[in-house]
Amino acid sequence: MRRYDPDLTPSWKRPAPVPEVAAEPDLVVEEVATGFCGAVVRCEAGTVTLEDRFGKHRVFPLTPRGFLLEGRTVTLVRPSAAPSRPTRTASGSVAVPGARARVARAGRIYVEGRHDAELVERVWGDDLRIEGVVVEYLEGVDDLPAIVRDFGPGPDARLGVLVDHLVPGSKESRIAAAVTDAHTLVVGHPYIDIWEAVKPAAVGIPAWPRVPRGQDWKAGVCRALGWPDNTSAAWQHILSKVHGWKDLEPELLGRVEELIDFVTAGEQRPV
């Protein structure tokens, strides 16, 4: 039985086939219809984004024979390579693919509030699970000496405490000084609230506002920035902007790393 090609166009009138090229990042091509020339920034389903030498972005459909590569007509296609696994955790430590969470150790890290705990989890969560370190929040540190006594720290159950606004002369500094247990480490950052430990640039603001003494700091920040009077929603917005250690101030980074090292003393951590 004779088979007929559904395309009745004479073969001599048909366009010659062109190669398909994966739209990998930084590939420089020219869009045929407009002459726009640029490097591939990203390729999504059905479209490719190009950036020209002036930094201008334009989005084009992935039409057949739609681009020139080194003067040759090509059809751009979406790259098929599987995404690579991250090699670092959000804290900057070496990622351990397939690592299972360790059984929780007796030692603990205490932080002042829920926001502190959520921020530590967001950046150091992978490290903490591998190390078996649990982070708990206290809703304030006014009763810290009694909390430490109740915990009963020891050589195999070290306790680390992260305190907000730990600066000379503050109430928090006096409370921290009252904790003298050899198996407890109390450290802190200089910020009034953990919100300030997130770099302003990460949140898209020039700086954290100054709130007059006597006013609720979080509510004052929301008013100064023109945010809705909803501190829970404000915090979720801030937290969503934190993608890793680079979004946090070094005064917090160093203290959290110090606490993890203290609680896991005697074991080598990934770096």
Side-chain angles (χ1 to χ4, degrees):
M1 179 178 177
R2 179 176 296 182
R3 296 181 180 274
Y4 292 93
D5 189 335
D7 185 355
L8 300 179
T9 305
S11 59
W12 56 272
K13 286 189 175 183
R14 296 178 191 175
V18 299
E20 292 186 346
V21 177
E24 301 285 357
D26 299 326
L27 179 74
V28 178
V29 294
E30 178 182 340
E31 203 273 331
V32 171
T34 63
F36 186 90
C37 183
V40 173
V41 175
R42 58 183 165 273
C43 186
E44 300 169 325
T47 65
V48 62
T49 302
L50 304 182
E51 179 182 32
D52 70 8
R53 62 192 181 96
F54 301 107
K56 182 179 180 181
H57 286 199
R58 288 191 62 177
V59 180
F60 298 100
L62 291 175
T63 54
R65 307 173 61 87
F67 299 87
L68 296 177
L69 175 62
E70 297 179 350
R72 295 184 305 141
T73 302
V74 297
T75 296
L76 287 188
V77 296
R78 192 176 185 183
S80 58
S84 60
R85 291 182 175 179
T87 58
R88 294 276 174 176
T89 66
S91 71
S93 298
V94 176
V96 184
R100 300 179 62 181
R102 175 175 174 166
V103 175
R105 63 176 73 226
R108 290 288 188 274
I109 292 177
Y110 285 167
V111 297
E112 285 208 40
R114 180 170 59 85
H115 293 179
D116 306 65
E118 289 176 344
L119 186 61
V120 169
E121 162 62 27
R122 189 166 187 92
V123 176
W124 288 273
D126 289 339
D127 307 63
L128 293 168
R129 279 181 284 278
I130 290 175
E131 298 292 345
V133 177
V134 175
V135 175
E136 299 179 6
Y137 66 91
L138 303 174
E139 294 291 2
V141 294
D142 288 352
D143 298 323
L144 185 59
I147 291 170
V148 173
R149 286 194 299 270
D150 290 343
F151 180 83
D156 298 321
R158 292 181 164 217
L159 178 62
V161 184
L162 180 69
V163 178
D164 296 343
H165 199 225
L166 191 60
V167 296
S170 68
K171 176 191 74 172
E172 291 81 2
S173 68
R174 293 190 294 272
I175 293 171
V179 177
T180 58
D181 185 273
H183 303 295
T184 301
L185 176 64
V186 181
V187 299
H189 56 77
Y191 306 110
I192 295 173
D193 190 274
I194 198 69
W195 290 18
E196 277 192 298
V198 179
K199 290 181 177 178
V203 187
I205 59 176
W208 288 105
R210 292 185 177 275
V211 178
R213 290 177 66 90
Q215 291 188 20
D216 180 84
W217 190 84
K218 291 186 177 74
V221 166
C222 290
R223 284 193 296 269
L225 294 176
W227 292 352
D229 187 17
N230 184 332
T231 56
S232 295
W235 170 243
Q236 291 306 313
H237 169 71
I238 295 166
L239 188 62
S240 72
K241 302 300 182 182
V242 176
H243 303 291
W245 65 273
K246 294 181 181 180
D247 297 320
L248 302 182
E249 299 288 1
E251 290 83 354
L252 176 66
L253 293 170
R255 301 295 74 76
V256 174
E257 291 288 340
E258 188 177 355
L259 289 176
I260 297 175
D261 288 341
F262 178 80
V263 173
T264 62
E267 297 183 15
Q268 187 173 4
R269 296 178 54 218
V271 294

